[in-house]
């Protein structure tokens, strides 16, 4: 089976590495020399273009920043769909809007190529450990074919429904995550200001009804959750600019569906403010800095 992997960044690089560790031959392409070097060091076959990687591939996996990159890579006269063989399969794991994946899937179907969306949860740690959750939008037959490779990169493969529904699940999850992180940051900062020890407060929250992933696993207050980005200056986590992008996707989808998402709009402005302040690449839990005086920041 020939596998092509397009987009070998923080997530894609680690995912491709796990395919290689599972004994698969992987043909890869990225615009970044650094990403290609890591891929080559791990045993991947470096290609000079996405087209070269995808020609004769049975499965193409993409892990790209945003919808415009996914559209550029797959569609158009020189897009991957123009070189891929009939009967092959595309799996896009990027987080993008549901309509874009439906558009690419429709174009793929015209060429006899199957496509599914399989965005992920679990971050760079999950990508490295091969423990990602994949949210798959596909028909049953395509799902079974995709599983052949997804099992090497993740531990939970959730079938969400038809193509596009994986992205729906992903953006709804991240809408809740963006709001819950802001809520925990607000509560932790208020508690500290009112005089409770942050560790004691986190202990209460995590054994009470305020408990959530943001309070327990990724608490924004420094040194509450072991290994959380807050303990290392908010480096190497889920970048604020990516959370901002995902909230934008939720707001866009809600607008199209004429569905209100009030809190999502509010926290989007907080993450927007952080990006404006030069913190776009810090982990999104650094949102707590919006609530703290300078000297108390982690
Ligand atoms: P990244 O920026 O580290 O990697 C993206 C890679 O795509 C880069 O190496 C870039 O050079 C490459 N690229 C861009 N255009 C390309 C093209 N035309 N051809 C080939 N390569 C191209 O981003 P990431 O953190 O790996 O995230 C990728 C996707 O996964 C995003 O949609 C993101 O929202 C999603 N995601 C990220 C995380 C996380 O924790 N980082 C978690 C879940 C989902």
């Amino acid at each position: 089976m020939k596998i092509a992997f397009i987009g070998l960044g923080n997530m894609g690089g680690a995912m491709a590495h796990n395919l290689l560790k599972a004994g698969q031959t992987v043909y890869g392409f990225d615009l970044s020399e650094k990403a290609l070097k890591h891929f080559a060091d791990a045993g991947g076959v470096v290609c000079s273009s996405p087209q070269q990687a995808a020609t004769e591939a049975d499965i193409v996996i993409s892990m790209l920043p945003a919808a415009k990159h996914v559209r550029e890579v797959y569609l158009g006269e020189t897009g991957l769909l123009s070189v891929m063989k009939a009967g092959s399969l595309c799996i896009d794991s990027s987080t993008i809007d549901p309509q874009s994946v439906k558009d690419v899937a429709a174009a793929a179907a015209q060429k006899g190529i199957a496509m599914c969306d399989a965005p992920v949860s679990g971050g760079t740690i999950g990508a490295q450990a091969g423990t990602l959750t994949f949210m798959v939008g596909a028909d049953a037959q395509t799902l079974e074919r995709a599983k052949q490779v997804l099992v090497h990169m993740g531990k939970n493969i959730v079938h969400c429904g038809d193509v596009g529904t994986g992205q729906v699940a992903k953006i709804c999850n991240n809408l809740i995550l963006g709001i819950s992180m802001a809520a925990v940051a607000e509560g932790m900062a208020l508690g500290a200001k009112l005089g409770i020890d942050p560790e004691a407060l986190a202990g209460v929250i995590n054994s009470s009804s305020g408990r959530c992933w943001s309070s327990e696993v990724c608490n924004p207050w420094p040194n509450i959750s072991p290994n959380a980005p807050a303990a290392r200056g908010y480096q190497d986590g889920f970048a604020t600019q990516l959370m901002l992008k995902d909230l934008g996707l939720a707001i866009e989808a809600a607008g199209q569906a004429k569905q209100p998402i009030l809190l999502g709009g509010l926290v989007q402005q907080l993450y927007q403010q952080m990006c404006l302040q030069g913190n776009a690449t810090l982990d999104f839990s650094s949102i707590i800095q919006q609530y703290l005086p300078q000297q108390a920041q982690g």
Side-chain angles (χ1 to χ4, degrees):
M1 178 166 62
K2 178 177 174 183
I3 302 173
F5 209 116
I6 314 297
L8 301 160
N10 291 332
M11 296 293 290
M15 291 160 70
H17 198 162
N18 282 326
L19 289 173
L20 292 165
K21 279 199 278 190
Q24 303 287 338
T25 304
V26 185
Y27 295 75
F29 178 75
D30 195 291
L31 297 174
S32 149
E33 288 298 325
K34 189 176 151 204
L36 286 177
K37 181 167 184 332
H38 281 146
F39 178 63
D41 289 348
V45 182
V46 171
C47 296
S48 57
S49 68
Q51 291 81 2
Q52 191 193 18
T55 300
E56 291 304 313
D58 299 293
I59 298 186
V60 172
I61 305 167
S62 49
M63 192 51 162
L64 295 160
K68 73 172 179 145
H69 307 96
V70 175
R71 286 179 178 274
E72 273 166 24
V73 163
Y74 283 104
L75 302 176
E77 272 181 30
T78 56
L80 293 189
L81 296 180
S82 69
V83 299
M84 289 177 67
K85 61 183 181 187
S88 56
L89 167 67
C90 309
I91 303 173
D92 182 49
S93 284
S94 327
T95 303
I96 63 172
D97 61 291
Q99 190 55 49
S100 287
V101 72
K102 285 187 199 170
D103 291 347
V104 179
Q110 285 185 356
K111 309 221 164 209
I113 299 167
M115 167 127 203
C116 67
D117 47 324
V120 302
S121 175
T124 49
I125 295 170
Q128 285 156 15
T131 56
L132 292 170
T133 291
F134 285 95
M135 307 164 209
V136 185
D139 59 53
Q141 195 190 355
T142 306
L143 172 71
E144 286 313 309
R145 289 177 66 196
K147 273 185 182 171
Q148 295 173 80
V149 288
L150 298 183
V151 287
H152 299 308
M153 302 182 284
K155 70 168 185 200
N156 297 312
I157 300 169
V158 184
H159 188 205
C160 299
D162 288 339
V163 74
T165 55
Q167 295 295 354
V168 171
K170 173 68 183 172
I171 62 180
C172 292
N173 180 73
N174 279 22
L175 169 67
I176 294 168
L177 177 63
I179 295 169
S180 72
M181 183 58 80
V184 173
E186 203 163 291
M188 290 297 298
L190 175 64
K193 190 76 177 272
L194 296 178
I196 188 172
D197 172 28
E199 203 172 332
L201 175 58
V204 172
I205 293 170
N206 287 332
S207 54
S208 305
S209 46
R211 177 182 167 193
C212 59
W213 186 88
S214 299
S215 69
E216 195 169 33
V217 180
C218 193
N219 196 295
W221 194 275
N223 301 314
I224 299 282
S225 309
N227 306 320
R232 48 174 192 271
Y234 303 99
Q235 301 294 325
D236 301 328
F238 181 50
T240 297
Q241 62 193 359
L242 288 180
M243 176 51 85
L244 183 63
K245 178 196 76 163
D246 292 356
L247 287 168
L249 293 175
I251 288 166
E252 186 189 330
Q256 284 163 4
K258 302 199 185 334
Q259 174 69 18
I261 47 169
L262 308 177
L263 298 179
L266 200 58
V267 296
Q268 187 207 32
Q269 295 303 311
L270 276 175
Y271 293 110
Q272 183 76 77
Q273 183 76 10
M274 288 170 60
C275 290
L276 194 66
Q277 292 163 347
N279 296 324
T281 59
L282 293 186
D283 183 72
F284 77 117
S285 62
S286 64
I287 196 169
I288 198 167
Q289 293 180 354
Q290 300 294 318
Y291 296 96
L292 300 177
Q294 200 65 34
Q295 67 273 19
Q297 291 178 9

